Amino acid sequence: QKEVEQDPGPLSVPEGAIVSLNCTYSNSAFQYFMWYRQYSRKGPELLMYTYSSGNKEDGRFTAQVDKSSKYISLFIRDSQPSDSATYLCAMSANRDDKIIFGKGTRLHILP
Amino acid sequence: EAQVTQNPRYLITVTGKKLTVTCSQNMNHEYMSWYRQDPGLGLRQIYYSMNVEVTDKGDVPEGYKVSRKEKRNFPLILESPSPNQTSLYFCASSPSTSGTDTQYFGPGTRLTVL
């Protein structure tokens, strides 16, 4: 079992819908959870960062961490065509530890 | 302009011919890291550096070397490249000493090893 599992998609949803992106992980030592967005032919950019369990909201984006289930989610409200990208989850056990990424989910928002 | 630069952007080489991919940042960032991205495997961390002269292995360090002699530069060295190192490589930097904070990625280097 890989340390981080993420459905590669593609996931296609109509504009304005709520998008749910998820990752599961096996390493209970993970405490730091990140979501990156990557547009085609570009490097990733950090969207959200969460430490330990709980929710974090930033505009249309909400990140959730459920450590008991080893499951993290990213919700995008009022999705826009400009949200079409690959979304990667990433995790680390400590601030000075290596970063493990999921494979990324390709998201298409249909106008 | 604040940025992370990588050179070369594209490289085709042959098995066994040593090569270096340079990475430079002009933001006085503490943390720098190298990643490779492959279809179906996602983004994987190769090496990272939290400070000058401090480097640590990431998830896939085999076949690579790095050095951090000065703050702004973090070259990736392939002593004897093999075809399985054909990939898209990204360098990234962060203002803190941790990769869990915002990382700024370079434009990528597409390497093909024949």
Side-chain angles (χ1 to χ4, degrees):
Chain A
Q1 181 189 12
K2 290 190 70 65
E3 275 195 290
V4 179
E5 301 275 6
Q6 185 176 10
D7 188 330
L11 177 64
S12 296
V13 299
E15 183 176 357
I18 296 174
V19 176
S20 172
L21 303 166
N22 313 295
C23 287
T24 60
Y25 62 95
S26 59
N27 188 348
S28 57
F30 286 148
Q31 299 186 84
Y32 295 86
F33 304 93
M34 289 78 72
W35 284 96
Y36 280 81
R37 177 176 62 195
Q38 185 176 22
Y39 290 114
S40 183
R41 302 183 193 282
K42 298 286 187 183
E45 56 180 333
L46 182 70
L47 268 181
M48 302 283 287
Y49 154 78
T50 310
Y51 170 70
S52 194
S53 282
N55 294 1
K56 187 173 184 178
E57 189 173 319
D58 184 1
R60 296 185 295 112
F61 299 90
T62 300
Q64 283 187 355
V65 174
D66 183 347
K67 290 189 72 179
S68 62
S69 301
K70 297 191 182 71
Y71 187 88
I72 70 170
S73 301
L74 177 70
F75 297 95
I76 306 174
R77 290 182 299 281
D78 188 26
S79 55
Q80 306 293 314
S82 58
D83 295 326
S84 297
T86 296
Y87 290 79
L88 303 106
C89 62
M91 310 178 188
S92 184
N94 296 293
R95 284 182 59 78
D96 57 356
D97 209 347
K98 60 186 178 182
I99 311 291
I100 305 296
F101 281 78
K103 293 181 182 179
T105 299
R106 288 180 60 196
L107 173 66
H108 298 290
I109 306 299
L110 307 170
Chain B
E1 181 189 352
Q3 58 184 349
V4 178
T5 56
Q6 296 178 225
N7 282 293
R9 294 288 313 280
Y10 303 89
L11 178 61
I12 300 174
T13 189
V14 296
T15 298
K17 186 176 181 182
K18 181 180 178 180
L19 67 92
T20 299
V21 184
T22 65
C23 174
S24 183
Q25 50 92 5
N26 61 2
M27 298 170 280
N28 201 37
H29 284 177
E30 301 290 336
Y31 181 97
M32 297 186 75
S33 183
W34 276 103
Y35 299 87
R36 61 177 290 175
Q37 189 167 36
D38 303 285
L41 294 176
L43 197 66
R44 293 178 292 169
Q45 191 175 42
I46 303 171
Y47 270 98
Y48 61 101
S49 169
M50 292 181 286
N51 216 326
V52 175
E53 302 291 1
V54 177
T55 62
D56 262 305
K57 295 178 181 178
D59 206 26
V60 287
E62 297 79 16
Y64 304 95
K65 283 176 58 177
V66 293
S67 67
R68 185 95 182 272
K69 293 187 172 62
E70 49 189 344
K71 202 172 189 178
R72 63 182 293 128
N73 296 322
F74 191 45
L76 180 69
I77 302 158
L78 285 72
E79 295 269 4
S80 183
S82 62
N84 65 12
Q85 292 178 300
T86 292
S87 187
L88 177 60
Y89 290 86
F90 287 103
C91 179
S93 70
S94 174
S96 77
T97 57
S98 174
T100 59
D101 297 322
T102 302
Q103 289 191 64
Y104 297 88
F105 282 76
T109 295
R110 188 165 293 280
L111 172 66
T112 301
V113 183
L114 302 173

